[in-house]
Amino acid sequence: MSGVGGNVVRRIVEVSSGAETQTDLLSSVGLSVAVPVNEWSTETVEEDAYYELLERATGDHDFALPFRYAEGIDVDDFAALGLALKTAS
């Protein structure tokens, strides 16, 4: 089964507008709030749990979540892909 990187999930939770707290959202997919940023890249969340989290994180028809996520992401959130982006000509 595939998974979604913890970096992606954490950034989505940071900009979520749903009724649940960030702590509740993260723990619902097995992530801890207390993990340092430099250890995020080792975490993964199963696909099904990720899609359920997205539904809860968006609240009631929050169509702006993708835009807030895009503003909040960092190239380092994408691990090896991010490194490739930083070093590509």
Side-chain angles (χ1 to χ4, degrees):
M1 179 174 261
S2 297
V4 177
N7 297 356
V8 172
V9 174
R10 288 179 179 280
R11 294 293 181 201
I12 288 171
V13 168
E14 284 179 356
V15 299
S16 69
S17 66
E20 296 182 58
T21 66
Q22 290 184 8
T23 303
D24 290 341
L25 288 170
L26 289 173
S27 58
S28 73
V29 294
L31 299 180
S32 170
V33 178
V35 176
V37 173
N38 62 345
E39 293 180 20
W40 287 6
S41 63
T42 61
E43 302 172 313
T44 58
V45 172
E46 291 184 11
E47 282 180 14
D48 293 338
Y50 170 71
Y51 290 120
E52 289 174 20
L53 173 105
L54 281 179
E55 291 198 18
R56 294 193 329 270
T58 57
D60 188 28
H61 305 290
D62 179 11
F63 300 111
L65 178 70
F67 300 106
R68 290 193 312 273
Y69 170 71
E71 290 176 339
I73 59 174
D74 185 80
V75 70
D76 292 326
D77 290 342
F78 296 106
L81 175 61
L83 179 60
L85 291 170
K86 289 194 293 188
T87 59
S89 56

